[in-house]
Amino acid sequence: WKRRYFKLRGRTLYYAKDSKSLIFDEVDLSDASVAETSTKNVNNSFTVITPFRKLMLCAESRKEMEDWISALKSVQKWESYEASQFNMEHFSGMHNWYACSHARPTFCNVCREALPGVTSHGLSCEVCKFKAHKRCAVRSTNNCKWTTLASIGNDIIEDEDGVSMPHQWLEGNLPVSAKCVVCDRACGSVRRLQDWRCLWCKAIVHSSCKEQLGKICPLGQCKVSIIPPTALNSIDSDGFWKAMSPSCSSPLLVLVNSKSGDNQGVKFLRKFRQLLNPAQVFDLMNGGPQLGLRLFQKFETFRILVCGGDGSVGWVLSELDKMQLHKQCQLGVLPLGTGNDLARVLGWGGLCDDDAQLLQILEKLERATTKMLDRWSIMTYEVPTKNTPVIIKEEEPLDCPLQVHFLYFAWSYNSNEFLCGTVNDFVAEVGKAYERVTENKEEADAMAKKCAMLNEKLDSLVRALGEEADAQLVPPGSQPPEQEGEAGGPDAPGMPRPFRSREQLMLRANSLKKALRQIIEQAEKVVDEQNRHTQVQRMSSSSSIKRGSSEDLKEAESRLNTVSLTSTAPAVLEKTNSCNILAPSSDESVQCTEKCVMNNYFGIGLDAKISLEFNNKRDEHPKKCSSRTKNMMWYGVLGTKELLQKTYKNLEQRVQLECDGVPISLPSLQGLAVLNIPSYAGGINFWGGTKEDNNFGAPSFDDKKLEVVAVFGSMQMAMSRVINIQHHRIAQCRQVKITIKGDEGVPVQVDGEAWVQPPGIVQILHKNRAQMLTRDRNFESTLKLWEDKRKYESCRSARPRLNSQQSMEYLTEEECAQVHQLGLVADSLINRIREVATTHKVVEQELAHAVNASAAVLSEAFPSKPSSPECLSRSTAVEIVNSSKHLFVHVCMLVCVLQQLEAPQEEELLSTLNSLSAELIKLEDIHWICPSMHCTEEVRVVISMIKQHSNNTWPLT
Ligand SMILES: [Zn+2]
Ligand SMILES: [Zn+2]
Ligand SMILES: [Zn+2]
Ligand SMILES: [Zn+2]
């Protein structure tokens, strides 16, 4: 027997020489069984049997042994401890198998035999690309890409400087053109498992050359962002890994919302795990931001990359609030899905859906600069009334960071009919309203057609939803399918129902959404008109709403409880911001409480329409995304209904606005928007303009100031996409207070989340600031330009020379005309550049040298421009060609990184460049110029380089 130190964490049993050991061996207990060794068992020994190994252990006393056995057995009942379990799986080293075919011969990493079939069918690990037969997968050890120090095991390099990271080699199945980093010769084989690839630095070596390569892994291209497994070596008391090590310069925590952008997130998740340490990449949908943040919180500073929509970013930010990590970390955004206003203003664009770009994205993130983002508390106070509408009461019990509002509730399956009815009512009502008002026959017809189409789509969606509901409602052989008649529609009952794929549902919902939107757009006009004359009766559907909503709240609450159970750290407790403010008309002091936090914008009145319409942000929070299509239906239908029946004309009579304590008298308006960032609901700059003027400073998200604007109608919203309108600006201030008068609520929205706020007070106060990573395009382009120049210059051959006899010869008439033509085009390029340079400093700086040089050559060769020269010496011709080529290359590179020229200017420049490239290529015909100067090749090299940079939008041919 040998004495060892054991600890049990989650589903893993760790052991080492003593408690201070750096390296622990581990046994995964997922499928383990425990048994006493013999019936007599005099030495208190017992055995742990897993699919992979058998471990014989011996305890000091009978009592101790029994404790261990019961502890090990309890692991099997671990399910309830969800977060921690995830934490353990994350670090277990298990492969993430998926079945796939391979285009080339591929070999099993377990038994070394070829995978069967022409297409080598078998299992592949999506993180490390380990290959296996299906039958061999069980025999593969948990040797996926390392995550922690312990997982490196015996390969660890230990010397006087401490521990360092070795290469992690995976054998064989190398790419076609693989080359050995040591000897630079071809590597790998299609006949057997042969030669090696490092999962971290991606180096490839021959088996025979492996010894010659240094032992320490340099981690490769993503070095700066990778957390080496050597940095993860301690577990805190509740089973969570804690990272602490100075060895990584700028650790990056990647939080991916796998549901964002119709589940696009999944491929980003996979790709990030391949590029980085799998332990630094988390799925927000699997445990939320907390797991990752806990892992990272011991780092003095770190970066976070959130891949998802604005909703995901808000979620992570509110978790940072709770854990008080704002000082330690900077947050960057990779926008997935739609409507990413925050990502847009931070310079990351509105959408990224190309997972092939991840290396470049990581690079951009390394070059990003930090800016502060103001964050604002939305404080509310509700006037207690005798008969508060039922709806409002329901949002109170929920105390989660992102408020669930009354319009959000999961589809309760027995309300199929209700939904159907609501939409039908809606369609009928719109139809009727339309008939009444419009005299235009054509328009009415178009509308009727659309209504019919909508109805059809609705039917099929509801049918699909019904099927899904049934599939979920009726687990094999339990409940009698009682609801089938109600929900099933024309489908034959009694048949086993196929489970509809989400995609199919999504498609249907999307086309329905489109149809609805078209109708709403048309109907809106009409109903506006109609509202002038008549008050449309409000339909009361609140009783049904109440039912669904309260059910959901219960569910959400219970889930909330599970979350708080697992978060045992006291610092995580939510702090509610409270403040005392004075009601405007009386001395009575009222207490406002923080309802939510605003990162982007706040809207009240008509503006809420935008978010009530159709909004994808539902995806961004797991509590809300359980049934996306269903939510969207409710959200869209009810939201629009509300608006159709009650446009918020004359909002000024229902609310009172105070900016920095000064009451503002409002013009007749339909809504108010309060902006922190200059992008609204999918990219509108609502403030209009980004510069300061006589009345207001430049809007900015780090000035502790808000911009308040009036919303007059949907026309204005549409217009502000096209032009800058400014007459609607109300104020720029540090605090906003809105009093809702009367006894009816008004729709409000914060960052796209909408609800009806009952009468009372809404205050917007500065809360804190978060450090955001913003893309600095100027810095990026300068760097790129510099790199490109270096690349070009290094591959450029020495200056061509003619021998002395050649250089004195004169050109033929034909040649002369050709060179002259080139000169003319070059000259017009020079003129274009000079025009552009007057407005763009960069152009002047970057091109002055090339322009001047080529201008000098041209003016010497053609002293009087219009006349064609009678004679040109070959050496002059070479100089002209050379300087033109030089100019061409430089201009091309600048234009492709500049990306800020106005359209007409850019077009002119591009067409001139195009003709110049044509002229240069034509020189191929002159036998003595081109071979020595490689014009054609160089021009082509430059063009292909540029095409790569500008994503093939470059018009050069
Ligand atoms: Zn095999
Ligand atoms: Zn793997
Ligand atoms: Zn390596
Ligand atoms: Zn080699």
Side-chain angles (χ1 to χ4, degrees):
W1 295 100
K2 284 183 201 142
R3 181 169 286 276
R4 287 288 177 268
Y5 174 83
F6 284 87
K7 53 186 179 184
L8 181 60
R9 295 277 180 259
R11 285 172 172 257
T12 313
L13 181 68
Y14 297 87
Y15 63 94
K17 260 211 170 82
D18 58 45
S19 62
K20 286 180 201 81
S21 298
L22 268 182
I23 302 152
F24 277 77
D25 257 313
E26 53 185 88
V27 183
D28 177 27
L29 299 174
S30 298
D31 293 308
S33 40
V34 189
E36 271 191 65
T37 317
S38 68
T39 38
K40 273 193 192 162
N41 202 7
V42 276
N43 56 359
N44 311 312
S45 69
F46 58 101
T47 313
V48 181
I49 307 146
T50 77
F52 311 108
R53 63 193 294 184
K54 211 164 137 185
L55 202 65
M56 191 105 92
L57 305 168
C58 171
E60 298 272 51
S61 64
R62 175 105 206 144
K63 168 86 177 62
E64 203 176 75
M65 179 195 76
E66 276 166 1
D67 285 348
W68 269 106
I69 290 179
S70 68
L72 291 170
K73 279 185 173 159
S74 74
V75 168
Q76 307 304 321
K77 303 175 206 125
W78 207 263
E79 274 74 7
S80 56
Y81 209 35
E82 201 182 308
S84 177
Q85 180 198 336
F86 169 81
N87 195 34
M88 285 305 141
E89 268 167 21
H90 206 66
F91 298 98
S92 69
M94 287 191 314
H95 292 289
N96 298 276
W97 298 118
Y98 65 101
C100 68
S101 307
H102 302 84
R104 351 183 15 233
T106 303
F107 299 87
C108 175
N109 282 101
V110 180
C111 70
R112 312 185 67 90
E113 300 289 316
L115 295 181
V118 188
T119 55
S120 299
H121 200 79
L123 298 180
S124 176
C125 171
E126 64 175 34
V127 174
C128 72
K129 306 271 171 71
F130 192 95
K131 312 287 181 192
H133 291 107
K134 280 180 185 156
R135 59 169 192 272
C136 294
V138 279
R139 285 191 288 130
S140 72
T141 39
N142 289 346
N143 56 355
C144 195
K145 205 169 174 186
W146 297 326
T147 49
T148 62
L149 183 68
S151 63
I152 302 178
N154 296 333
D155 295 337
I156 192 81
I157 304 167
E158 237 177 322
D159 53 23
E160 58 275 14
D161 304 331
V163 292
S164 32
M165 164 88 177
H167 294 284
Q168 183 178 8
W169 298 113
L170 183 69
E171 193 175 11
N173 300 318
L174 302 178
V176 192
S177 51
K179 272 202 176 143
C180 172
V181 283
V182 174
C183 67
D184 203 35
R185 280 198 292 259
C187 216
S189 165
V190 290
R191 282 185 209 92
R192 65 189 77 85
L193 203 62
Q194 178 183 307
D195 301 332
W196 305 83
R197 180 174 54 93
C198 173
L199 297 180
W200 297 84
C201 66
K202 315 291 180 201
I204 291 171
V205 285
H206 289 111
S207 300
S208 53
C209 298
K210 214 166 131 198
E211 281 301 301
Q212 281 161 261
L213 193 68
K215 275 211 153 59
I216 296 175
C217 179
L219 296 178
Q221 258 182 305
C222 305
K223 184 182 170 47
V224 181
S225 304
I226 286 179
I227 299 193
T230 47
L232 298 181
N233 60 1
S234 86
I235 311 167
D236 71 3
S237 52
D238 40 328
F240 282 89
W241 285 93
K242 289 278 189 283
M244 40 186 168
S245 167
S247 63
C248 27
S249 49
S250 181
L252 179 73
L253 170 61
V254 181
L255 300 171
V256 183
N257 186 334
S258 56
K259 292 263 159 65
S260 275
D262 283 345
N263 298 320
Q264 289 263 346
V266 178
K267 59 181 192 188
F268 286 84
L269 207 58
R270 185 177 303 156
K271 201 74 188 224
F272 273 121
R273 288 191 175 137
Q274 287 168 13
L275 291 174
L276 307 170
N277 183 338
Q280 69 190 103
V281 184
F282 290 84
D283 182 0
L284 282 175
M285 286 299 144
N286 195 350
Q290 225 206 45
L291 289 169
L293 292 174
R294 289 184 73 155
L295 177 75
F296 272 62
Q297 64 184 350
K298 290 269 172 71
F299 281 122
E300 240 165 74
T301 62
F302 61 96
R303 295 173 297 145
I304 301 174
L305 177 62
V306 179
C307 310
D310 283 355
S312 302
V313 179
W315 190 13
V316 174
L317 284 172
S318 64
E319 203 66 28
L320 292 178
D321 289 340
K322 285 191 210 161
M323 299 177 72
Q324 305 180 335
L325 292 174
H326 281 297
K327 286 216 174 71
Q328 276 164 267
C329 64
Q330 293 113 37
L331 194 146
V333 187
L334 192 152
L336 302 177
T338 50
N340 303 307
D341 292 295
L342 190 56
R344 200 173 277 119
V345 299
L346 296 175
W348 301 108
L351 174 68
C352 170
D353 55 4
D354 188 359
D355 60 328
Q357 299 275 312
L358 284 196
L359 264 180
Q360 286 95 308
I361 289 166
L362 288 176
E363 214 167 76
K364 279 174 192 156
L365 208 65
E366 283 164 20
R367 295 171 182 179
T369 46
T370 306
K371 273 192 191 162
M372 304 303 285
L373 173 73
D374 290 324
R375 300 178 67 244
W376 303 82
S377 291
I378 305 292
M379 314 290 294
T380 58
Y381 165 75
E382 294 168 17
V383 177
T385 46
K386 324 100 221 165
N387 50 359
T388 317
V390 240
I391 312 164
I392 289 126
K393 279 280 151 234
E394 275 143 33
E395 22 180 338
E396 285 178 351
L398 206 76
D399 190 24
C400 73
L402 290 168
Q403 278 290 337
V404 176
H405 58 86
F406 86 100
L407 277 179
Y408 163 68
F409 45 88
W411 169 268
S412 67
Y413 294 117
N414 48 14
S415 45
N416 267 344
E417 261 187 343
F418 175 63
L419 169 70
C420 199
T422 312
V423 183
N424 274 336
D425 283 357
F426 164 70
V427 172
E429 234 171 273
V430 170
K432 249 186 273 161
Y434 213 86
E435 267 168 44
R436 238 176 290 152
V437 181
T438 184
E439 270 111 56
N440 187 334
K441 188 87 176 69
E442 237 170 79
E443 243 182 300
D445 280 351
M447 190 68 183
K449 229 181 253 168
K450 282 192 182 133
C451 280
M453 192 171 74
L454 174 68
N455 252 330
E456 223 171 85
K457 287 185 175 157
L458 183 71
D459 277 347
S460 73
L461 178 71
V462 168
R463 221 177 301 136
L465 285 175
E467 280 164 29
E468 192 195 41
D470 288 341
Q472 286 175 359
L473 265 176
V474 193
S478 67
Q479 235 176 336
E482 208 181 284
Q483 266 128 348
E484 213 154 37
E486 191 183 344
D491 279 341
M495 293 246 307
R497 283 170 187 285
F499 194 89
R500 285 270 170 197
S501 73
R502 287 185 76 81
E503 285 73 27
Q504 235 173 323
L505 278 178
M506 216 74 93
L507 274 178
R508 288 213 183 139
N510 275 336
S511 71
L512 180 68
K513 185 173 86 175
K514 233 180 249 163
L516 259 177
R517 185 182 285 153
Q518 281 176 346
I519 292 193
I520 287 154
E521 271 162 16
Q522 290 201 22
E524 192 184 25
K525 278 186 258 161
V526 179
V527 175
D528 261 354
E529 186 81 4
Q530 197 186 352
N531 275 353
R532 268 184 220 158
H533 313 293
T534 47
Q535 250 326 47
V536 181
Q537 199 192 347
R538 246 185 127 184
M539 191 186 112
S540 111
S541 51
S542 47
S543 65
S544 317
I545 290 171
K546 188 183 152 200
R547 188 151 34 89
S549 164
S550 58
E551 266 171 30
D552 184 63
L553 284 178
K554 254 182 246 151
E555 197 192 325
E557 246 181 324
S558 68
R559 248 179 278 174
L560 212 65
N561 286 338
T562 354
V563 172
S564 54
L565 265 178
T566 56
S567 61
T568 39
V572 180
L573 279 177
E574 180 152 16
K575 222 173 42 190
T576 346
N577 228 334
S578 304
C579 77
N580 286 310
I581 53 159
L582 291 178
S585 52
S586 67
D587 287 329
E588 176 197 358
S589 97
V590 296
Q591 179 127 80
C592 283
T593 50
E594 185 179 76
K595 180 146 189 139
C596 58
V597 180
M598 166 185 119
N599 301 313
N600 300 1
Y601 36 67
F602 168 92
I604 182 166
L606 179 97
D607 137 84
K609 165 195 139 95
I610 290 185
S611 45
L612 283 171
E613 234 180 31
F614 297 102
N615 128 345
N616 301 314
K617 297 202 168 61
R618 242 103 288 281
D619 288 2
E620 301 295 333
H621 204 282
K623 295 193 185 86
K624 301 178 184 180
C625 74
S626 50
S627 59
R628 176 180 194 244
T629 41
K630 299 155 193 170
N631 284 329
M632 196 172 61
M633 290 291 303
W634 281 117
Y635 205 44
V637 172
L638 295 180
T640 318
K641 197 159 183 128
E642 174 84 3
L643 272 150
L644 283 176
Q645 286 159 358
K646 184 184 214 127
T647 55
Y648 279 81
K649 284 208 171 123
N650 306 322
L651 183 77
E652 76 283 357
Q653 291 166 18
R654 308 184 56 209
V655 303
Q656 216 177 323
L657 172 71
E658 262 177 59
C659 297
D660 289 340
V662 182
I664 310 257
S665 72
L666 294 173
S668 172
L669 49 76
Q670 297 188 52
L672 286 169
V674 181
L675 314 172
N676 186 43
I677 62 170
S679 176
Y680 191 90
I684 310 171
N685 179 358
F686 226 178
W687 179 251
T690 52
K691 305 213 166 65
E692 79 180 302
D693 62 16
N694 296 336
N695 300 319
F696 300 106
S700 157
F701 51 78
D702 63 350
D703 56 359
K704 295 192 180 173
K705 279 186 201 155
L706 294 163
E707 282 76 35
V708 185
V709 294
V711 181
F712 297 110
S714 42
M715 204 46 199
Q716 176 201 4
M717 298 226 185
M719 289 299 279
S720 45
R721 277 189 194 275
V722 191
I723 50 164
N724 282 341
I725 35 175
Q726 301 184 350
H727 59 271
H728 59 291
R729 293 179 177 181
I730 295 178
Q732 205 169 34
C733 57
R734 289 169 187 278
Q735 259 189 49
V736 172
K737 180 172 156 190
I738 295 168
T739 311
I740 301 172
K741 301 184 287 189
D743 49 10
E744 225 180 312
V746 178
V748 299
Q749 66 110 333
V750 172
D751 296 351
E753 294 292 326
W755 70 89
V756 172
Q757 179 63 29
I761 295 166
V762 179
Q763 259 215 326
I764 308 176
L765 303 174
H766 194 264
K767 181 188 174 76
N768 60 15
R769 299 169 110 193
Q771 302 182 58
M772 304 300 283
L773 289 169
T774 58
R775 224 183 125 177
D776 185 341
R777 280 174 204 265
N778 281 337
F779 175 63
E780 266 178 34
S781 24
T782 320
L783 205 64
K784 213 180 205 175
L785 192 68
W786 179 77
E787 283 170 356
D788 284 349
K789 263 193 185 154
R790 238 180 25 164
K791 211 194 303 177
Y792 172 72
E793 255 137 41
S794 69
C795 74
R796 204 175 128 191
S797 47
R799 266 183 160 243
R801 295 247 177 270
L802 297 170
N803 63 39
S804 54
Q805 192 222 331
Q806 269 185 331
S807 66
M808 295 313 292
E809 280 176 46
Y810 286 92
L811 277 65
T812 64
E813 210 169 296
E814 214 175 312
E815 289 167 351
C816 204
Q818 214 171 323
V819 174
H820 183 236
Q821 185 57 34
L822 175 75
L824 285 179
V825 179
D827 190 55
S828 69
L829 181 63
I830 289 172
N831 290 331
R832 296 253 179 278
I833 292 164
R834 284 185 170 144
E835 272 166 39
V836 177
T838 55
T839 48
H840 292 81
K841 264 260 145 9
V842 202
V843 175
E844 201 191 325
Q845 284 165 11
E846 292 296 332
L847 294 178
H849 182 76
V851 165
N852 291 340
S854 131
V857 170
L858 287 176
S859 67
E860 202 176 300
F862 313 111
S864 50
K865 252 181 209 160
S867 71
S868 179
E870 291 86 42
C871 50
L872 270 177
S873 73
R874 284 189 177 186
S875 64
T876 316
V878 166
E879 260 181 72
I880 294 169
V881 173
N882 220 357
S883 68
S884 310
K885 195 179 68 185
H886 196 240
L887 183 66
F888 172 77
V889 169
H890 280 250
V891 178
C892 281
M893 286 180 175
L894 186 70
V895 171
C896 93
V897 295
L898 203 55
Q899 291 174 341
Q900 42 175 276
L901 293 178
E902 298 75 22
Q905 241 177 4
E906 189 173 11
E907 263 167 47
E908 277 183 16
L909 201 57
L910 289 183
S911 79
T912 318
L913 276 175
N914 233 341
S915 0
L916 189 57
S917 75
E919 290 300 325
L920 283 168
I921 288 172
K922 264 192 223 158
L923 295 175
E924 226 168 23
D925 305 340
I926 306 180
H927 68 99
W928 52 267
I929 287 190
C930 228
S932 64
M933 295 186 55
H934 312 289
C935 292
T936 319
E937 288 137 67
E938 278 190 34
V939 167
R940 290 204 170 119
V941 164
V942 167
I943 289 174
S944 77
M945 225 151 92
I946 283 162
K947 274 189 171 162
Q948 273 175 10
H949 275 303
S950 51
N951 297 326
N952 290 320
T953 53
W954 187 258
L956 286 188
T957 41

